[in-house]
């Protein structure tokens, strides 16, 4: 008899061995007269006789240590109320590495002066876990017995023990999300450190502090201190507002409501003192179930008497019911050990282990308990013997199932409790993989009722960032048989604690989404910073733009220039010839006087400009929805040379559609699918079409194909083609893991499909479109229905399923077709045709299917079109062939070593040979809007594109081709399956081809090979990879993505941008110079952690080539003008000091110095942030303009020294001619002429640099001039006002201004004519 199909579950739980009960305690039995018996008798008597307890040592005479038995559950809150420590122990007998309870802990402990009763465990089971203290015990502790699972190295000494329903120790972090950069204590130290790490800020701090020393004071202290404080307040205020916004977003995420199950003891001694407030969106708290009752603390004598009463009275126990209710709390309040209830499309709040999964329609409050063999009827349902005092709205404890029934549920897949035991998760926000993941509840817990979860205990490995690995164990404590009231010892088998291993298949990690229409109950094992998501995410860092670094370097040059100039001026006078002050004091005063060379307003102007750029970006309707989260680096958008992109949700929509099929002689696509529909209608005719009540027969692959009777050659050809099409469609409708579910929305029911891969859902939807609908699927059968007639046309029994794996790249199924009438109920013994179906990648299926002459050509054609190809084949099996295979396959599945390899070998030998080739399918992964032209524009702009995805190699290749990431002329060089054992020569040879032709070759590499190169040949790999036009990395972990981004930055010193939409992209985004997050349908985690948030990938083009260009060029021009403004006034000061016999006295004092840098020049200079050299259309039409920006030509050493030369010329002319024409070195007339020319010169220089005029520019120029003229009457303390209104003043100002401005502008016009810049060329076109 063929065994029933079960979904493949790696490391399926084995039945516990005899040695699974490993403890080192001295049981109650060992305290009596027979404690000198052998070990076997001790084990056999682990279920002790309650009748004999009255002759043994009273509990009041004992002192007990903490329990070490894994299967024992007791009330730790009552036992050690107030102690928030882990009183659990590792399976192997070693202590929990994170802390344990002390050995000397008393059996009964006072709390607030009273003794708390230690209640029995839920359901009435009471097995002793007591042992004598070491100083009482005369029997040495027995060595612990460990099972193979217990000895796992990943659990030894580093695990955590979790008892469901008990408070976790305080060492576990809270379940809070935090993207904030600062805390209340670290904000000022970190921000001030970041600010003063810039040289010019530190320079101005020293200058400001120097004014506190009287010999160094050259003016008012406020002149130097207030500008610095103003700059710091602006910058720190922006950082504070940004971090407050992050905290608000985090708080919103942490307030998300989740439902947990709370197990309560109705006697008043709750298993856990849950002080958390219920959260229902700010409304009045509501609970489902009976509220908890309170009881006063009993005294010590009552406690002791109750303990003795429990174990006395002929073994009869007082069985308190365990009440269960639902509590809605905030996400941040979830703790380790909580049982969380999740529904469809709900995001997982922490790392969970799935305990139970059941259909959503079954609800939560009722949880029907079905009496099992060996258990009493459900007393809470009002049956005989029910206690009316324990019935109510809350869940009370019916009699538990026996351990034998748990074993039965374990073997049958855990479906006895009415649940499915299955759940699909969307994990693309965690690992980037598009396939939905099938997750299973452990068969040990699936068969339990929710109120029985208090019997469970979990051992989990320590927190790790490996999202695809998990090692743990779960144990269900034994319970006594409630029907056994005779006091006789129970059967030993019923007393064993049931254990089962936990693997990645039993988990749901934080930030994944439940995709199935089921309700899942899961226990929290990791929270907060210890979740896989948090550990795979790098902490946010403060990002500094390249322009800021370049300006910082330039200020160092200016400082060196200032120091040199100061020393020269003092040296010209002579170091020994000074009588009024020492030479070093004179040098310091000159440094302070020349401090305007490095203007303090430079940083604040740049920061204000960045805020303006951010405002422009957010208000741009062409990229509506864009949010600037880091306003300190907008100019970095104009310097990007490497773009690292995620695939799923970024380049693609993750929406699959079957576009093409090929059956060997003909292919169908687009409108030709209507012909496929007609073939399906003819191929599944199972009864009279005009009588829907007439019974229809089921279709099998051997059924004849019906065609209109014509009897000619055309009909025979059509019959052959139609039969092939029907067979292919039938194979596609059956060979998958898709499950149909019915949902309701707005009162209308509709069918949706759930599967681990969107490809399979697309194929099943296509089969429905052409006429064959999947209406039912469970672990054992599949039912298909004709769309046209709504009749059941195919029923199959699933014999085996071979799921898709990354190594095998194929999936298959052995199906038995039922025959007869569709309305007949199939019986277990029905015989029918047995077929093996398989579909997979062409690279592996080519050698499996029978020889043909068209497969390679057709798959290559589909691949060039960007389709994801699947080859479909089948093979008919006789009953004997299937039985032979089943026996061998079962034997291989029981192997303890190389199990997967042996099973695969059996499948290959018995099934995978000479399959009948049915056809090829082409599935298209829909791209995001305008992805192709966007990538083409980036290539023309000189940006190298890397696609980093967690998806499969074949999927990434297809998307790279369809998205035109790799052009048709480029060769894709593939490197896969490199391991640490790979010889270095072989790995380096794989890079040799890339090095020879880097311009015409793209690299496709998988995660293992990438990890190998990053570990062993880091620089050899990156030195080649950065030269390639495109790199596709598959199966990348979040950490690998971040490592690649950091490595490119470190090796090239170029600007790197990373874009993604999932939680698995956060590390990459934060490691980049510019992080861009896309607000997708799967969440906002990436967009919240990014510097810039957009709603679609094609918005990135405008963000870079338009806003990035403008931000960079404007900031570069603004910085140079501010440096020019400070340098020219320093040159004037130098000329004045030379004429004044090298005395370190100020030329412009107090208000003149402050006003020049603020009200007289700031608005016109700052208006340059509105300038643009080309319009948006030209910037997008000629992306080559962007390539020039990456060279940094707008602000370079060459342009810097050009502006230095201009400043020296103009400063010398202004101050020199002012002193010559006025005929005085130090007089109000000279100062009035010099300062007026200085202001006019700066305003006209701004006007000469403008390319595209804006009304604010005109207003700022005219308004500033008016303000200066209007303020002259108030400058009597510095100017000779009578001289200012004279004609002599006017012609001197005009002459000096002309000589200062005309030569530089003439040189600029000449150079622009002889060698026009690129933007002038495209404007001319």
């Amino acid at each position: 008899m063929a065994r029933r199909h079960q979904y493949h579950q790696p490391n399926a739980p084995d039945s516990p061995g005899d040695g699974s009960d490993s403890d080192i305690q001295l049981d109650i039995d060992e305290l009596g007269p027979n404690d000198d018996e052998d070990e076997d008798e001790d084990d056999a008597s682990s279920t002790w006789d309650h009748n004999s307890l009255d002759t043994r040592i009273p509990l009041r005479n004992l002192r007990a240590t903490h329990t070490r038995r894994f299967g024992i559950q007791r009330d730790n809150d009552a036992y050690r109320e107030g102690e928030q420590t882990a009183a659990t122990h590792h399976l192997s007998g070693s202590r929990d590495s994170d802390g344990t309870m002390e050995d000397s802990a008393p059996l009964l402990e006072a709390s607030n002066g009273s003794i708390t009763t230690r209640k029995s465990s839920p359901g009435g089971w009471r097995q002793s876990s007591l042992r004598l203290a070491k100083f009482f015990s005369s029997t040495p502790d027995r060595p612990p017995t460990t099972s193979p699972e217990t000895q796992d190295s990943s659990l030894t000494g580093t695990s955590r023990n979790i008892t469901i329903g008990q408070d976790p120790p305080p060492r576990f972090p809270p379940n809070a999300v935090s993207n904030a950069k600062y805390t209340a204590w670290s904000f000022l130290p970190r921000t001030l450190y970041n600010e003063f790490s810039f040289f010019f800020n530190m320079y101005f701090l020293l200058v400001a502090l120097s004014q506190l020393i009287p010999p160094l004071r050259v003016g008012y202290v406020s002149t130097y201190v207030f500008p610095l404080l103003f700059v710091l307040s602006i910058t720190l205020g922006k950082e504070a507002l940004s971090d407050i916004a992050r905290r608000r977003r985090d708080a919103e995420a942490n307030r998300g409501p989740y439902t947990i199950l709370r197990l309560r003891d109705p006697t008043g001694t709750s298993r856990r003192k849950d002080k958390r407030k219920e959260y229902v969106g700010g409304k009045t708290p509501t609970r489902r179930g009976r509220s908890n009752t309170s009881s006063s603390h009993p005294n010590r004598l009552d406690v002791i008497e109750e303990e003795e009463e429990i174990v006395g009275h002929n073994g009869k126990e007082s069985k308190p019911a365990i009440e269960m209710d639902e509590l809605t709390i905030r996400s941040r309040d979830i703790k380790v050990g909580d049982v969380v209830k999740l529904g469809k499309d709900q995001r997982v709040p922490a790392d969970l282990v799935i305990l139970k999964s059941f259909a959503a329609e079954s609800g939560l409050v009722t949880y029907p308990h079905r009496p099992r063999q060996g258990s009493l009827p459900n007393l809470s349902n009002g049956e005989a013997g029910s206690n009316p005092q324990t019935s109510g709205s809350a869940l009370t404890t019916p009699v538990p199932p026996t351990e034998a029934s748990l074993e039965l549920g374990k073997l049958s897949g855990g479906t006895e409790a009415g649940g499915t035991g299955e759940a699909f998760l969307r994990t693309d926000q965690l690992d980037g993989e598009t396939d939905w993941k099938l997750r299973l509840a452990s068969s040990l817990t699936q068969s339990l009722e929710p109120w029985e979860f208090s019997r469970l205990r979990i051992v989990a490995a320590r927190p790790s960032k490996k999202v695809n690995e998990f090692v743990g164990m779960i144990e269900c404590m034994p319970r006594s048989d409630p029907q056994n009231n005779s006091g006789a010892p129970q059967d030993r088998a019923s007393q064993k604690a049931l254990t089962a291993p936990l693997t990645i298949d039993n988990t749901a990690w934080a930030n994944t989404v439940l995709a199935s229409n089921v309700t899942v109950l899961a226990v929290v094992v990791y929270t907060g910073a210890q979740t896989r998501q948090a550990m795979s995410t790098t902490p946010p860092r403060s990002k500094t733009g390249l322009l800021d670094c370049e300006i910082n370097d330039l200020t160092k040059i200016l400082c060196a220039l200032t120091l040199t100039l100061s020393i020269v001026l003092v040296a010209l006078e002579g170091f020994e010839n000074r009588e009024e002050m020492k030479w070093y004091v004179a040098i310091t005063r000159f440094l302070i006087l020349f401090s305007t060379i490095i203007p303090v307003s430079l940083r604040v102007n740049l920061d204000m400009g960045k805020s303006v750029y951010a405002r422009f970006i957010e208000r741009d309707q062409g990229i509506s929805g864009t949010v600037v989260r880091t306003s300190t680096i907008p100019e970095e958008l104009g310097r990007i040379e490497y773009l690292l992109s995620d695939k799923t949700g970024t380049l693609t929509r993750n929406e699959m559609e079957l576009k093409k099929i090929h059956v060997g002689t003909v292919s169908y696509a687009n409108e030709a699918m209507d012909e496929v529909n007609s073939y399906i209608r003819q191929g599944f005719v199972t009864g009279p079409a005009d009588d829907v009540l007439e019974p229809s027969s089921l279709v099998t692959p051997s059924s004849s194909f019906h065609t209109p009777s014509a009897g000619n050659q055309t009909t025979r050809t059509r019959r052959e083609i139609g039969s092939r099409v029907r067979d292919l469609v039938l194979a596609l409708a059956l060979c998958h893991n898709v499950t149909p579910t019915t949902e309701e929305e707005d009162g209308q029911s509709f069918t949706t499909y759930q599967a681990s891969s969107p490809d399979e859902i697309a194929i099943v939807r296509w089969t429905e479109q052409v006429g064959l609908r999947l209406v039912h699927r469970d672990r054992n059968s599949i039912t298909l229905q004709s769309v046209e007639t709504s009749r059941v046309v195919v029923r199959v029994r699933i014999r085996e399923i071979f799921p898709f794996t990354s190594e095998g790249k194929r999936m298959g199924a052995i199906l038995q077709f039922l025959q007869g009438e569709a309305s007949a109920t199939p019986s277990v013994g029905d015989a029918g045709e047995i077929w093996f179906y398989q579909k997979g990648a062409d690279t592996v299926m080519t050698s499996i299917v029978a020889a043909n002459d068209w497969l390679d050509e057709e798959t290559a054609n589909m691949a060039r079109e960007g389709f994801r190809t699947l080859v479909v084949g089948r093979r008919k099996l006789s009953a004997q062939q299937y039985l032979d295979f089943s026996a061998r396959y079962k034997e291989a599945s029981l192997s303890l070593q190389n199990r997967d390899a042996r099973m695969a070998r059996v499948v290959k030998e018995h099934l995978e040979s000479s399959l009948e080739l049915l056809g090829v399918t082409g599935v298209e992964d829909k791209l995001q809007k305008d992805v192709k032209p966007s990538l083409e524009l980036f290539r023309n702009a000189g940006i190298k594109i890397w696609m980093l995805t967690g998806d499969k190699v074949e999927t990434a290749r297809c998307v790279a081709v369809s998205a035109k990431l790799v052009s048709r002329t480029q060769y894709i060089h593939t490197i896969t399956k490199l391991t640490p054992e790979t010889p270095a020569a072989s790995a380096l040879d794989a890079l040799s081809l890339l090095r020879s032709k880097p311009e015409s070759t793209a690299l496709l590499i998988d995660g293992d090979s990438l990890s190998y190169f990053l570990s062993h040949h880091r620089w050899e790999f990156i030195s080649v990879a950065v030269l390639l036009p495109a790199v596709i990395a598959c199966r990348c972990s979040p950490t690998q993505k971040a490592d690649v981004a950091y490595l490119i930055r470190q090796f090239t010193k170029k600007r790197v941008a990373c874009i993604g939409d999932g939680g698995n992209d956060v590390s990459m985004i934060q490691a980049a110079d510019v992080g861009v997050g896309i607000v997708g349908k799967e969440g906002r985690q990436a967009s919240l952690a990014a510097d810039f948030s957009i709603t679609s990938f094609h918005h990135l083009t405008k963000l870079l080539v338009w806003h990035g260009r403008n931000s960079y060029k404007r900031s570069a021009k603004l910085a140079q003008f501010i440096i020019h403004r400070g340098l020219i006034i320093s040159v004037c000061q130098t000329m004045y000091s030379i004429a004044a016999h090298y005395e370190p006295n100020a030329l412009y004092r107090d208000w003149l110095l402050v006003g020049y840098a603020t009200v007289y020049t700031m608005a016109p200079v700052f208006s340059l942030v509105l300038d643009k050299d080309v319009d948006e259309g030209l910037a997008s039409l000629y992306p080559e303009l962007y390539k020039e920006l990456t060279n940094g030509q707008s602000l370079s050493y060459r342009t810097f020294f050009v502006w230095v030369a201009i400043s020296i010329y103009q400063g010398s002319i202004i101050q020199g001619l002012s002193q010559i024409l006025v005929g005085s070195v130090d007089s109000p007339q000279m100062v009035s002429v010099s300062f007026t020319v200085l202001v006019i010169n700066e305003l006209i220089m701004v006007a000469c640099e403008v390319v595209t005029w804006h009304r604010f520019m005109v207003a700022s120029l005219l308004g500033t001039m008016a303000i200066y003229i209007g303020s002259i009457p108030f400058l009597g303390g510095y100017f000779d006002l009578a001289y200012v209104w004279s004609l002599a003043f006017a012609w001197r100002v005009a002459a000096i201004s002309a000589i200062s401005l005309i030569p530089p502008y003439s040189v600029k016009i000449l150079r622009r004519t002889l060698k026009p810049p690129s933007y002038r060329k495209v404007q001319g076109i």
Side-chain angles (χ1 to χ4, degrees), residues 43 54 81 228 248 291 295 329 351 422 486 509 775 831 962 1012 1108 1163 1231:
D43 290 339
D54 54 352
E81 181 177 4
L228 179 63
R248 288 176 177 172
S291 60
S295 64
I329 64 175
D351 284 357
E422 303 174 0
S486 63
W509 297 143
V775 293
S962 62
Y1012 172 81
V1231 172

Side-chain angles (χ1 to χ4, degrees), residues 190-221:
R190 288 185 60 185
T191 52
L192 290 177
Y193 173 81
N194 292 333
E195 288 304 306
F196 291 115
S197 63
F198 288 100
F199 176 79
F200 50 82
N201 281 343
M202 179 59 71
Y203 178 81
F204 282 115
L205 176 63
L206 296 177
V207 169
L209 293 177
S210 70
Q211 296 305 289
L212 302 177
I213 303 174
L216 302 180
R217 188 173 301 164
V218 295
Y220 294 122
V221 177

Side-chain angles (χ1 to χ4, degrees), residues 402-479:
T402 63
E403 310 304 338
S405 68
L406 288 180
E407 286 290 349
L408 178 61
K410 186 175 179 179
L411 295 175
S412 63
T415 60
E416 187 180 359
T420 64
E422 303 174 0
F424 283 106
L425 296 179
R426 294 197 298 268
T427 64
D428 51 342
Q429 296 292 293
L430 180 68
D431 56 18
E433 296 189 18
T434 59
D435 295 354
W436 290 6
K437 302 300 186 301
L438 177 63
R439 293 293 185 255
L440 305 172
S442 173
S443 55
L444 186 62
T445 59
Q446 177 66 24
S447 55
L448 293 176
E449 300 296 343
W451 46 263
E452 294 182 283
F453 290 162
S454 58
R455 299 171 52 197
L456 300 176
R457 187 174 179 184
I458 293 174
V459 173
R462 65 178 178 180
S464 169
K465 62 182 179 182
K466 297 180 179 179
V467 297
N468 294 319
E469 294 182 12
F470 177 73
V471 177
M473 294 188 68
I474 188 168
E475 184 161 349
C476 182
M477 296 183 307
R479 307 188 69 136

